[in-house]
Amino acid sequence: MNLLPTESTKSMIQESIIRWFDANGRDLPWRTTSDPYEVLIAEMLLRRTTATAVARIYSAFIRRFERPERLARARVRTIASMVGTLGLQNLRARHLQQTAAHIVKEFKGSIPDTMEGLVNLPGVGVYVASAVLNFAFCRPSPLVDGNTIHLLSRLFELEFAGPADRNAWDFIASFELGGQNKAFYWGIIDLVAMVCLRRVPRCEICPLHEPCIWRHKNKPAFKTG
Ligand code: SF4
């Protein structure tokens, strides 16, 4: 594993990601709401699929199941038919229905605002819980998935065992995000989706090309004009 970057390098990278996101981030329907239920549904739908696939069904799903009470009363097969294009529809539908039922029964229809309350919901792991804390409750909470690992390994040549590696969570928690946690984490997600592509990264348009170790070692040709 490479040496950990200095605080000033981290701070410069953090600012670059946030600035890039403000100018280039994707407009996705779940990013215009901070309603905790709508954010939770989005994050549950986004597991193991793409934002593009979720964007196609998200608004219709929220219209149909606008509150947890409606989702809790729905049949699993009805929910599965709405999320069929995302894959894993039966498991996903069961988790959505069980989570809604749990929220209605244990929290009177309100989404819990603590890590402990969120991770106890059926089908909600640390990533989804942390995403809800960041994107609905505006609480900075470390957020690591395969995208984060991918970007960190290219940028800093850091090696992590995977998204469950505690060291990765500790490292991302060491960024001092203040109130800019949403732009930082959405920026990482969008950079990997749009710029730091796994097969052929688009280093020539990347806001991080100066500090990126992978770019310096591999020296991909920069297009001009
Ligand atoms: S410079 Fe290239 S490899 Fe490095 S983070 Fe940007 S797109 Fe990825």
Side-chain angles (χ1 to χ4, degrees), residues 151 154-155 195-197 201-203 206 208-209 212 214-215:
L151 193 68
R154 282 222 170 125
L155 254 183
V195 179
C196 193
L197 308 179
R202 304 170 70 198
C203 303
C206 181
L208 309 175
H209 74 263
C212 177
W214 189 94
R215 207 271 297 180

Side-chain angles (χ1 to χ4, degrees), residues 8-200:
S8 69
T9 301
K10 281 164 54 190
S11 164
M12 185 257 285
I13 283 170
Q14 175 181 323
E15 280 172 27
S16 297
I17 292 173
I18 290 168
R19 209 176 314 116
W20 178 86
F21 176 78
D22 286 343
N24 302 284
R26 292 175 295 180
D27 286 328
L28 295 167
W30 50 90
R31 289 183 177 173
T32 57
T33 180
S34 53
D35 179 293
Y37 170 69
E38 295 180 8
V39 173
L40 173 63
I41 294 299
E43 294 301 331
M44 291 183 75
L45 295 177
L46 282 162
R47 300 313 288 155
R48 292 166 176 256
T49 188
T50 63
T52 306
V54 175
R56 287 195 198 104
I57 66 155
Y58 177 74
S59 299
F61 191 97
I62 292 294
R63 271 197 305 277
R64 174 102 182 239
F65 305 113
E66 59 188 357
R67 298 314 312 157
E69 291 77 3
R70 287 189 78 164
L71 187 55
R73 284 197 303 269
R75 289 171 191 265
V76 169
R77 70 166 179 265
T78 305
I79 303 169
S81 72
M82 288 205 75
V83 300
T85 53
L86 307 183
L88 301 172
Q89 58 266 40
N90 292 329
L91 180 66
R92 205 183 290 275
R94 207 163 45 247
H95 281 158
L96 285 161
Q97 194 275 336
Q98 289 172 349
T99 283
H102 188 89
I103 289 165
V104 171
K105 184 162 179 262
E106 302 296 332
F107 299 100
K108 296 190 170 73
S110 295
I111 309 303
D113 62 356
T114 62
M115 177 60 79
E116 190 190 359
L118 286 162
V119 291
N120 282 323
L121 299 173
V124 173
V126 175
Y127 179 89
V128 169
S130 192
V132 172
L133 290 175
N134 278 292
F135 305 142
F137 295 110
C138 287
R139 302 220 185 113
S141 178
L143 194 57
V144 173
D145 69 354
N147 293 322
T148 324
I149 298 289
H150 167 76
L151 193 68
L152 294 179
S153 69
R154 282 222 170 125
L155 254 183
F156 302 122
E157 222 173 37
L158 296 175
E159 289 171 21
F160 296 111
D165 188 333
R166 194 64 248 170
N167 292 326
W169 288 80
D170 289 345
F171 178 73
I172 211 78
S174 72
F175 283 80
E176 292 180 14
L177 300 176
Q180 297 191 294
N181 47 319
K182 282 189 185 186
F184 179 71
Y185 289 125
W186 281 338
I188 290 176
I189 292 166
D190 284 2
L191 268 173
V192 175
M194 298 160 68
V195 179
C196 193
L197 308 179
R198 285 163 203 268
R199 211 161 57 82
V200 186

